[in-house]
Amino acid sequence: MTTQMKDEPLSPDDRDFVTALASGLDVILAFDHANPRMTLSEVAAKTGMNRARARRFLLTLNSLGYVRKQNRHFELAPRTLQLGYAFLSANNYRTVIQQHLEDITAQIGESSSLGVLDDNDVIYVARSAAPHRLMAIALSVGTRLPAVATSMGRVLLAQLPEAELEALLETATLKHYTERTIVDKDELRVRLRQVRQQGYCIVDQELDSALRSLAVPAFDANGTLLGAINVSTNAARIDLATLTERFLPLLQEKTRQIAIQVS
């Protein structure tokens, strides 16, 4: 007898849900930029597990080569990169898009990235960096930023069905990153409708007071959303007119080329 795969995500109380696997992934994801090395107690606190449970997962991950133990501290091992590489290699469109991102940087001298939506965050999955640094944190493949406060994030949110968007906004935390950040959900809904209608998004100094960015959605030849492509600039150096009159046509042309090349 063949078991049919379910279309909807499993709930944690479903008999097919593997709690141990979910907990192991929670332990891996507990390590981040702010917490690269943690003690057993810190991992337990960050994941909401008791010490005994956290210890079992850490030791198992250590034996599998995904976590390293140094005295009292644990940290991720290089083998965890294989998890990200599996995603990148399975999505072969990344090579095509990477070339277009590098072309954008070569033409305008600004950083360009591809991001995808993951719950309330946008994750960088490809990037072409300009020499100048725009934010206090270093942006690279794997970086997560709040979708509600970024141009790529808002472009991706605007592509969601209304019910899915509303469910996501219900759990989203809107906070002031700068004095310009939108923290009212009704105002954000208006902005997202505007983004959906015009097909692009500009976020002006809402995540960082020095950052101004522009993003457009990227689709494959079948109309499937691949992610969002952006250009991030220094707000003191690049004005809004340059974004819309020079950079926007370039990004739109690149996404047209991507739609032809990626099936």
Side-chain angles (χ1 to χ4, degrees):
M1 179 176 174
T2 302
T3 301
Q4 188 173 1
M5 295 292 288
K6 298 181 179 180
D7 293 331
E8 296 297 322
L10 299 178
S11 62
D13 58 353
D14 192 291
R15 66 187 181 92
D16 290 327
F17 188 90
V18 183
T19 304
L21 174 59
S23 297
L25 293 173
D26 285 341
V27 169
I28 290 176
L29 294 175
F31 295 90
D32 54 23
H33 178 75
N35 302 277
R37 300 177 73 244
M38 290 186 286
T39 63
L40 168 59
S41 297
E42 290 169 336
V43 172
K46 199 163 188 291
T47 58
M49 300 179 189
N50 59 48
R51 283 174 51 89
R53 184 175 175 82
R55 177 178 178 275
R56 289 198 299 272
F57 283 110
L58 284 168
L59 293 179
T60 298
L61 290 169
N62 175 252
S63 68
L64 293 173
Y66 291 105
V67 166
R68 291 190 297 211
K69 186 177 185 299
Q70 296 185 340
N71 298 321
R72 295 178 56 249
H73 288 85
F74 294 87
E75 63 184 15
L76 294 183
R79 190 173 185 182
T80 56
L81 293 173
Q82 291 180 344
L83 301 176
Y85 179 74
F87 168 80
L88 296 176
S89 59
N91 294 275
N92 55 15
Y93 62 80
R94 180 179 173 272
T95 302
V96 173
I97 292 180
Q98 183 66 43
Q99 184 58 60
H100 286 294
L101 298 181
E102 292 173 5
D103 288 345
I104 291 169
T105 299
Q107 289 188 48
I108 64 176
E110 304 293 343
S111 297
S112 183
S113 306
L114 171 73
V116 297
L117 197 63
D118 183 37
D119 292 329
N120 292 320
D121 292 335
V122 60
I123 302 180
Y124 284 65
V125 296
R127 179 163 171 81
S128 173
H132 38 266
R133 185 166 169 175
L134 298 172
M135 295 181 64
I137 63 171
L139 299 177
S140 60
V141 172
T143 296
R144 304 174 73 97
L145 293 177
V148 293
T150 61
S151 61
M152 287 196 297
R154 289 182 186 173
V155 160
L156 296 170
L157 291 173
Q159 297 294 320
L160 295 176
E162 281 295 333
E164 192 174 342
L165 174 60
E166 281 303 314
L168 191 146
L169 289 178
E170 284 297 318
T171 62
T173 300
L174 305 188
K175 66 177 184 178
H176 282 288
Y177 295 97
T178 74
E179 61 182 13
R180 293 173 175 257
T181 310
I182 295 175
V183 294
D184 180 83
K185 290 189 178 181
D186 287 334
E187 183 180 355
L188 180 60
R189 288 185 180 94
V190 172
R191 292 292 183 93
L192 292 175
R193 284 196 294 269
Q194 181 184 21
V195 170
R196 186 182 296 125
Q197 292 169 358
Q198 67 188 17
Y200 68 90
C201 178
I202 291 176
V203 169
D204 187 12
Q205 303 170 80
E206 292 189 47
L207 182 63
D208 187 290
S209 58
L211 183 66
R212 184 173 282 155
S213 63
L214 161 73
V216 298
F219 301 90
D220 67 12
N222 300 311
T224 301
L225 182 67
L226 299 174
I229 289 179
N230 87 332
V231 169
S232 51
T233 70
N234 185 292
R237 183 165 42 79
I238 302 296
D239 58 25
L240 292 172
T242 300
L243 285 182
T244 56
E245 295 171 11
R246 182 184 172 204
F247 294 175
L248 178 58
L250 175 61
L251 289 189
Q252 291 172 329
E253 175 57 28
K254 288 299 182 183
T255 56
R256 281 192 288 269
Q257 294 175 15
I258 289 169
I260 294 172
Q261 295 174 306
V262 179
S263 58

